[in-house]
């Protein structure tokens, strides 16, 4: 476990080497953060090289370098799910969007159909006031399954920190669209 040799409230800040009090950071909800709280997290300074990105366990080939693809990943993280057959293999990706996201939905449909060549279906569900856009592609659905943890919750894997910054930017753009 990670330890720091000083409590943040210690009067000897800056002389932590000599302090005998051991302090370990604790996990708290983001909603519980207060002004002047200290966030501790590693900063990744290494980007995945092209050959490392291609060697990841996926079947996407050059698509993995597309900024638009990473925007799609972000939209999925915010509003999507994968659909699996009985054998557990993912085969479709569904994206759920309210009417206020029509621009994102139209971009998604055009990108998936015309640039990726996928079968795309969108339908409006009046009972939920929501559009469901389905992308029919086993490769993409399988790749996106890697963004779930063992409890079935979506998360961003640590290796995404090693993507080139412009691809990370696109992922965040999609996530917050």
């Amino acid at each position: 476990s990670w330890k720091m040799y000083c409590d943040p409230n210690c009067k000897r800040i800056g002389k932590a080497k000599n302090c005998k009090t051991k302090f370990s950071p604790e996990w708290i909800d983001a909603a519980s953060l207060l002004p002047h709280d200290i966030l501790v997290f590693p900063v990744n300074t290494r980007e995945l090289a092209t050959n490392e990105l291609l060697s990841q366990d996926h079947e996407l080939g050059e698509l993995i370098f597309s900024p638009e693809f990473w925007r799609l990943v972000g939209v999925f993280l915010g509003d999507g799910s994968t659909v699996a057959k009985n054998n557990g293999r993912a085969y479709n990706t569904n994206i759920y969007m309210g009417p206020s996201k029509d621009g994102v939905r139209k971009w998604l449909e055009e990108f998936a159909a015309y640039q990726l060549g996928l079968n795309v279906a969108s339908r409006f569900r009046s009972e939920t006031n929501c559009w469901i856009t389905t992308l029919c592609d086993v490769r993409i659905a399988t790749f996106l399954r890697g963004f779930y943890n063992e409890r079935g919750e979506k998360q961003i894997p640590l290796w995404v920190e090693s993507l080139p910054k412009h691809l990370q930017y696109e992922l965040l753009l999609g996530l917050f669209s």
Side-chain angles (χ1 to χ4, degrees):
S1 73
W2 185 81
K3 299 235 188 279
M4 184 168 87
Y5 285 91
C6 205
D7 184 294
N9 298 318
C10 181
K11 306 264 189 272
R12 297 172 53 102
I13 298 274
K15 300 177 183 174
K17 290 182 203 169
N18 300 326
C19 187
K20 301 298 180 207
T21 305
K22 290 192 181 210
F23 171 74
S24 292
E26 61 184 281
W27 289 100
I28 61 171
D29 291 331
S32 301
L33 289 174
L34 300 171
H36 307 291
D37 278 351
I38 298 171
L39 301 178
V40 180
F41 58 93
V43 176
N44 186 15
T45 57
R46 182 181 167 276
E47 287 186 1
L48 285 172
T50 302
N51 60 341
E52 290 177 300
L53 197 51
L54 280 173
S55 70
Q56 296 285 329
D57 187 25
H58 62 75
E59 301 173 11
L60 299 173
E62 295 293 320
L63 179 60
I64 201 78
F65 300 110
S66 163
E68 293 85 5
F69 174 74
W70 286 99
R71 188 177 306 174
L72 179 146
V73 172
V75 170
F76 163 79
L77 286 169
D79 299 310
S81 67
T82 57
V83 180
K85 292 184 177 181
N86 291 339
N87 63 6
R89 183 175 163 124
Y91 69 97
N92 277 348
T93 303
N94 289 332
I95 309 288
Y96 305 88
M97 289 179 266
S100 64
K101 293 190 173 185
D102 270 354
V104 177
R105 180 180 53 81
K106 289 176 183 170
W107 168 83
L108 179 64
E109 290 170 353
E110 289 179 17
F111 171 66
Y114 299 115
Q115 292 186 28
L116 299 180
L118 304 181
N119 290 327
V120 179
S122 285
R123 63 191 183 284
F124 185 76
R125 294 185 66 186
S126 56
E127 63 272 9
T128 58
N129 194 32
C130 174
W131 282 94
I132 301 173
T133 301
T134 302
L135 310 177
C136 303
D137 188 273
V138 172
R139 298 168 310 143
I140 290 175
T142 301
F143 178 79
L144 293 174
R145 283 296 301 159
F147 287 81
Y148 286 94
N149 63 21
E150 58 280 348
R151 292 183 306 276
E153 304 162 330
K154 284 184 277 185
Q155 65 181 14
I156 299 175
L158 288 176
W159 64 265
V160 171
E161 291 180 20
S162 299
L163 285 174
K165 298 294 181 220
H166 73 283
L167 298 179
Q168 292 181 40
Y169 172 81
E170 292 294 331
L171 183 143
L172 291 173
L173 193 63
L175 180 61
F176 293 109
S177 62

